[in-house]
Amino acid sequence: MEQEKKFYTLLVYSENIAGILNQITAVFTRRQVNIESLNVSASSIEGVHKYTITAWCYDDQVVKIVNQIEKKIDVIKATYFTDDQLFIRETGLYKLSTDEVMQNSEISRIVRHYDAQITEVNPTYVIVMKSGNTEDIMNLFNALNEFNCVLQYTRSGRIAVTRSTQEQVSEFLEQREKAER
Amino acid sequence: MDKEMITGSESLMRALKAEGVETIFGYPGGSIMPVYDSLYEYTRGEKKAFHHVLVRHEQGAVHAAQGFARTSGKVGVAVVTSGPGATNTLTGIADAMLDSTPIVVIAGQVGISALGTDAFQEVDLVGVSQPISKWSYQIRHADDVAWAVSRAFYIARSGRPGPVVLDFPKNAQTHLCEWTGPEHVKSVRSYVPYPTPSKSSISEAAKLINSAKRPLALVGQGVELADAHQELIELIEKADIPVGRTLLGLSALSSRHPLNKGMLGMHGQYALNMKTQEADVIIAIGMRFSDRVTGLPSTYARQAKIIHLDIDKAEINKCIHADIPVIGDCKVTMPAITKLLNKNDHTEWKKSFDSYFEMEKEQVIGPAIHPKEGPLLMGEVVNAVAEATKGDAVLVTDVGQNQMLSSRYFHYNKKRSIVTSGGLGTMGFGMPAAIGATFGAPDRTICMFCGDGGFQMNIQELGTIMEQQAPVKMILMNNNYLGNVRQWQDMFWNGHRSFTPMMNPKYNLIANAYNIPYELVVDRKELSSKVDKMLASKGPFILECAIKEDADVMPMVAPGKTIDEMMLKFNS
Ligand SMILES: Cc1ncc(C[n+]2csc(CCOP(=O)(O)OP(=O)(O)O)c2C)c(N)n1
């Protein structure tokens, strides 16, 4: 039976030490898995960095990838999720030509329809921002693009928090601290 | 009290001393000169703490550190300069990573301000070594030396051991720092070297072993690394389980133990490969199901339930699915399982190995170690050395036919008795690793088996052997071929001996040049007396053996085949 690839989100927590990103991405490249999006930021715990990574891969592949990432000395914890286990956001930024927006009222109607925000307006351009899921953000782009009004467009990597209460890693760190005492 | 201010290099000396380091393998150069200046004092006179072995190539320093670590159980240390010195260590680092060998490689680096400018002899060592090391770290400040060294040793030796790289920029070596005593890193919060085994996995494993009719234990280097030889014996004796050992696990159980059924894998024991495909329960202990052991993984032991004991969670289900993973230190998990085992008797099952073993003995082993005629064979040379050393010596091998035949026919009665490049298969490993072994196990005889190809791949280390008078007994099995590749060419590549015949130098002259005693064996009648002469000599010795040019290592599982398709003879 042919296995099907699934879309996974990996949450990785690490110490704030240089060179970890390299080590994490190398685990994917070595197994020829493409990273779809990547976001690195601080977590709610001081000194702990959080990576949100998405990729298409097989079930057994994602387990191996997570194990190999967690094996890196300065990685605290690596876990994987499917979309139903997470609260997910991405952001799209759309820079539109002010002239086009003024000439065609349909454009601002679309912006409102997609629940996007207009964050800046000046005589040459209008900046529109939309946060949501990938599909909505791309749909808005496609809709706007019909009017030839998009000067620039970019979409952020995914950020995600789990549906559990704490940072995934807090309990682990507590245990480690207890063990060290 | 006044603060004591010292340089980063002095701090390195003190930190190494605090780790119990006595032997350092190294090679100096521009970016590591401050360290060598400190070493000058620490290798003589009042401050003497270390013996420094000047190798002849940095690859040799790392392999020697590996040989030292594998025989002593301690962390091996190599010190080199930046740039080419650093890149020359990479093969050894990769080798140590695949074979879980604890070493610390300390490399010089250009000064901090020159980093990233393509300065003379600048290489991003941390960047290039990251994927092949357990941890690599750049020490940017003299203040960090004590901490970084302690952390490096802790990481190298704990859990599943491995190589650690410390990249040490020159100004961090010369800058002053306050010495507040050595650090004692005992834990790293992001790193769990000894995972706590789950109770349920242990009881499930015991239950399965108790119900097994045809159990088979596969033992790897993990048992040696955990120093769990006795725990292994208790487990297998109580449940009466026959054992196969991996190449790196050969001395995890004495060759004389009645449950020992030999070596696994491509050139392992015929009976073991056949029986792996009949076992109902396989207990894998500290081994990683390398493709050299499993053959074609999709057809490997499909009928068996597999229990996998490993300290490294990432090994579970990596190559072969484990029905019951037991994650933890096998020195802890084995006794926990043994406690729950019923005393058992598997006489019938064990007996069923015998007919296969007889076949192998008659068709392969006999002719290999007791040939009646024709040129000398590797097997008989190994056998002669093995009998003369009575299972007490340490076997160091290079890579190729010499490796497979020496590991097959050597005898192992003591732990930590085999040093070989298993995962990486590094030709040129043998000679420098054997140098390291003479320092790691100074009371034991070190026998190094090597082909004519591998001998020449780090032949410059004869200089180190000469200078150190390192008592390496070098058995050079000269078949005038890159034998292992020649065998594969004959078997699988139309017999095209593409660049495998090799012109050899006069090794007697080379031995003479390095002032190392030498003998040549051509006639098998002289074999045993010359082996005795070699073993009776005090220092290093080269015993060149004129080996049959086109003898094959048998039995063999052809690459990509199922292990029970193992061939006793090759029929082209
Ligand atoms: C560094 C390195 N290069 C190439 C190889 C591939 N290789 C494996 S065995 C072998 C032949 C070894 O020949 P020799 O040292 O004469 O030993 P023999 O097989 O004849 O015992 C070669 C070339 C290797 N393992 N390592």
Side-chain angles (χ1 to χ4, degrees):
Chain A
M1 200 186 73
E2 272 289 299
Q3 257 199 42
E4 247 184 65
K5 284 190 177 179
K6 283 193 200 140
F7 194 66
Y8 284 105
T9 301
L10 282 75
L11 296 184
V12 179
Y13 297 85
S14 84
E15 300 291 358
N16 183 10
I17 289 184
I20 303 202
L21 180 58
N22 253 340
Q23 297 185 56
I24 294 175
T25 55
V27 171
F28 286 86
T29 25
R30 202 174 154 195
R31 282 162 191 75
Q32 293 163 36
V33 173
N34 287 337
I35 291 177
E36 296 290 331
S37 81
L38 169 72
N39 184 81
V40 190
S41 72
S43 73
S44 70
I45 302 160
E46 209 189 311
V48 173
H49 271 209
K50 182 169 174 177
Y51 300 70
T52 312
I53 306 164
T54 60
W56 286 96
C57 52
Y58 301 111
D59 292 353
D60 58 336
Q61 230 174 5
V62 75
V63 180
K64 288 179 196 180
I65 288 173
V66 160
N67 279 338
Q68 293 297 334
I69 292 174
E70 202 170 274
K71 190 169 163 174
K72 306 289 173 198
I73 298 289
D74 296 308
V75 168
I76 302 169
K77 197 128 198 70
T79 41
Y80 64 93
F81 300 91
T82 46
D83 285 4
D84 52 322
Q85 297 168 296
L86 295 170
F87 180 83
I88 297 163
R89 275 293 174 271
E90 283 170 23
T91 299
L93 286 179
Y94 313 76
K95 182 170 163 182
L96 312 179
S97 138
T98 307
D99 280 352
E100 300 290 336
V101 176
M102 298 302 245
Q103 275 163 34
N104 200 329
S105 60
E106 184 65 1
I107 294 176
S108 39
R109 209 187 59 77
I110 288 171
V111 168
R112 252 175 289 131
H113 172 77
Y114 275 89
D115 205 15
Q117 284 167 273
I118 294 176
T119 58
E120 194 179 328
V121 184
N122 66 33
T124 46
Y125 61 80
V126 175
I127 302 236
V128 172
M129 184 176 82
K130 155 124 195 90
S131 51
N133 61 32
T134 320
E135 211 187 348
D136 288 349
I137 292 166
M138 289 200 346
N139 286 347
L140 174 56
F141 170 74
N142 291 334
L144 292 170
N145 213 23
E146 302 251 314
F147 297 93
N148 261 334
C149 64
V150 183
L151 302 173
Q152 285 180 35
Y153 160 66
T154 188
R155 180 162 60 84
S156 75
R158 163 179 286 200
I159 53 174
V161 288
T162 62
R163 299 207 176 263
S164 67
T165 42
Q166 273 190 318
E167 288 281 7
Q168 278 286 307
V169 69
S170 343
E171 202 179 317
F172 172 83
L173 285 177
E174 265 167 40
Q175 280 172 7
R176 295 292 297 155
E177 262 157 45
K178 252 188 236 154
E180 278 167 39
R181 254 184 264 132
Chain B
M1 214 177 80
D2 269 352
K3 288 181 188 170
E4 188 188 10
M5 301 299 285
I6 61 172
T7 64
S9 315
E10 170 73 20
S11 179
L12 176 68
M13 297 297 116
R14 295 185 186 186
L16 290 175
K17 199 175 151 184
E19 290 296 334
V21 174
E22 289 173 356
T23 311
I24 294 172
F25 303 94
Y27 208 92
S31 314
I32 195 79
M33 287 186 70
V35 167
Y36 269 81
D37 193 51
S38 298
L39 258 180
Y40 185 83
E41 291 184 333
Y42 274 84
T43 47
R44 71 204 67 219
E46 238 170 76
K47 267 189 167 175
K48 183 173 164 71
F50 309 123
H51 178 72
H52 177 274
V53 177
L54 178 68
V55 293
R56 298 302 190 259
H57 184 293
E58 289 86 353
Q59 185 185 350
V62 183
H63 291 331
Q66 291 179 273
F68 173 88
R70 294 265 278 269
T71 46
S72 68
K74 298 179 190 154
V75 178
V77 179
V79 178
V80 301
T81 192
S82 67
T87 52
N88 276 347
T89 65
L90 293 174
T91 302
I93 293 168
D95 194 292
M97 186 67 176
L98 279 166
D99 284 352
S100 313
T101 310
I103 57 168
V104 172
V105 175
I106 299 161
Q109 180 57 284
V110 301
I112 300 277
S113 57
L115 284 172
T117 65
D118 295 326
F120 179 63
Q121 295 191 331
E122 183 199 357
V123 159
D124 174 13
L125 179 62
V126 169
V128 294
S129 65
Q130 246 168 5
I132 52 169
S133 63
K134 193 170 171 188
W135 189 56
S136 47
Y137 183 76
Q138 187 170 64
I139 306 176
R140 303 228 172 95
H141 305 282
D143 298 310
D144 290 345
V145 172
W147 170 83
V149 169
S150 179
R151 200 175 202 257
F153 275 74
Y154 171 71
I155 290 170
R157 77 165 93 83
S158 59
R160 178 179 183 171
V164 170
V165 174
L166 291 177
D167 188 48
F168 197 10
K170 199 168 179 177
N171 45 353
Q173 299 171 40
T174 53
H175 281 170
L176 292 176
C177 63
E178 186 186 343
W179 176 254
T180 52
E183 299 262 351
H184 300 285
V185 171
K186 288 199 201 73
S187 75
V188 171
R189 74 169 180 176
S190 54
Y191 164 60
V192 186
Y194 303 101
T196 315
S198 91
K199 287 214 175 75
S200 63
S201 70
I202 286 178
S203 58
E204 277 173 45
K207 210 160 112 195
L208 188 56
I209 297 171
N210 281 336
S211 72
K213 296 275 173 297
R214 298 180 305 282
L216 179 64
L218 314 180
V219 169
Q221 196 198 191
V223 171
E224 292 252 46
L225 293 170
D227 205 21
H229 305 77
Q230 190 53 35
E231 288 79 0
L232 171 69
I233 289 173
E234 280 159 21
L235 188 151
I236 56 168
E237 286 184 352
K238 188 164 181 194
D240 198 29
I241 308 173
V243 173
R245 300 154 304 160
T246 67
L247 175 64
L248 267 74
L250 282 174
S251 56
L253 180 69
S254 164
S255 314
R256 289 189 195 136
H257 196 284
L259 287 168
N260 191 347
K261 299 293 174 199
M263 180 165 83
L264 297 162
M266 181 176 269
H267 291 296
Q269 236 70 51
Y270 186 55
L272 272 171
N273 281 318
M274 305 306 276
K275 290 288 157 181
T276 301
Q277 301 297 80
E278 285 177 34
D280 60 350
V281 174
I282 285 179
I283 306 116
I285 309 166
M287 58 84 74
R288 61 184 178 90
F289 292 107
S290 128
D291 52 286
R292 282 296 188 268
V293 162
T294 61
L296 186 66
S298 57
T299 58
Y300 178 80
R302 295 303 295 253
Q303 79 295 338
K305 286 255 183 279
I306 294 184
I307 303 169
H308 192 178
L309 279 66
D310 210 293
I311 199 164
D312 180 359
K313 182 173 79 172
E315 285 303 335
I316 306 296
N317 295 336
K318 189 185 78 178
C319 300
I320 297 292
H321 173 76
D323 298 282
I324 303 181
V326 183
I327 302 166
D329 183 351
C330 67
K331 197 170 174 78
V332 176
T333 54
M334 282 197 289
I337 292 173
T338 307
K339 227 168 143 188
L340 305 177
L341 291 181
N342 302 333
K343 233 184 147 15
N344 221 326
D345 176 61
H346 294 293
T347 308
E348 282 300 306
W349 162 240
K350 286 187 299 180
K351 261 209 196 119
S352 72
F353 283 64
D354 293 352
S355 60
Y356 291 104
F357 187 70
E358 285 309 317
M359 272 162 79
E360 182 179 350
K361 203 166 152 188
E362 191 189 305
Q363 295 185 45
V364 181
I365 302 176
I369 65 177
H370 298 301
K372 301 263 164 346
E373 55 194 17
L376 217 52
L377 297 180
M378 289 189 190
E380 65 184 312
V381 174
V382 176
N383 188 56
V385 177
E387 287 190 342
T389 51
K390 301 188 178 64
D392 291 338
V394 175
L395 169 69
V396 183
T397 84
D398 204 74
V399 165
Q401 295 186 310
N402 61 86
Q403 176 184 35
M404 290 302 125
L405 288 166
S406 57
S407 52
R408 271 178 73 82
Y409 296 124
F410 210 69
H411 305 168
Y412 314 89
N413 292 336
K414 294 189 172 160
K415 60 185 185 180
R416 295 191 176 275
S417 292
I418 177 160
V419 180
T420 189
S421 169
L424 199 63
T426 308
M427 276 175 76
F429 173 85
M431 197 189 293
I435 296 172
T438 64
F439 290 94
D443 301 329
R444 300 183 66 186
T445 305
I446 310 295
C447 297
M448 194 277 289
F449 288 85
C450 196
D452 43 314
F455 198 81
Q456 293 182 81
M457 217 173 242
N458 269 322
I459 195 168
Q460 72 284 351
E461 298 306 336
L462 287 172
T464 313
I465 292 175
M466 167 181 69
E467 187 169 322
Q468 298 292 327
Q469 278 301 299
V472 182
K473 311 302 177 194
M474 292 169 268
I475 299 107
L476 166 56
M477 305 218 265
N478 187 352
N479 54 11
N480 290 316
Y481 269 101
L482 299 173
N484 208 79
V485 180
R486 194 271 318 140
Q487 175 173 345
W488 284 44
Q489 288 172 338
D490 284 2
M491 287 182 166
F492 315 117
W493 297 93
N494 309 311
H496 294 162
R497 294 183 174 179
S498 180
F499 302 99
T500 44
M502 198 167 55
M503 189 190 264
N504 271 297
K506 291 199 167 90
Y507 290 106
N508 58 332
L509 298 183
I510 288 178
N512 204 355
Y514 284 102
N515 202 15
I516 296 173
Y518 165 93
E519 283 288 347
L520 172 67
V521 186
V522 179
D523 188 340
R524 64 172 48 88
K525 278 196 241 98
E526 315 167 321
L527 177 60
S528 140
S529 65
K530 289 190 172 167
V531 165
D532 288 345
K533 183 175 174 189
M534 168 181 80
L535 293 171
S537 75
K538 263 192 126 56
F541 199 99
I542 298 174
L543 185 68
E544 180 179 357
C545 300
I547 300 290
K548 184 171 191 283
E549 292 203 338
D550 57 356
D552 292 335
V553 183
M554 281 292 162
M556 179 174 191
V557 180
K561 294 281 185 199
T562 301
I563 53 170
D564 60 1
E565 294 179 82
M566 185 172 221
M567 305 176 279
L568 284 170
K569 281 211 165 70
F570 180 65
N571 305 310
S572 49

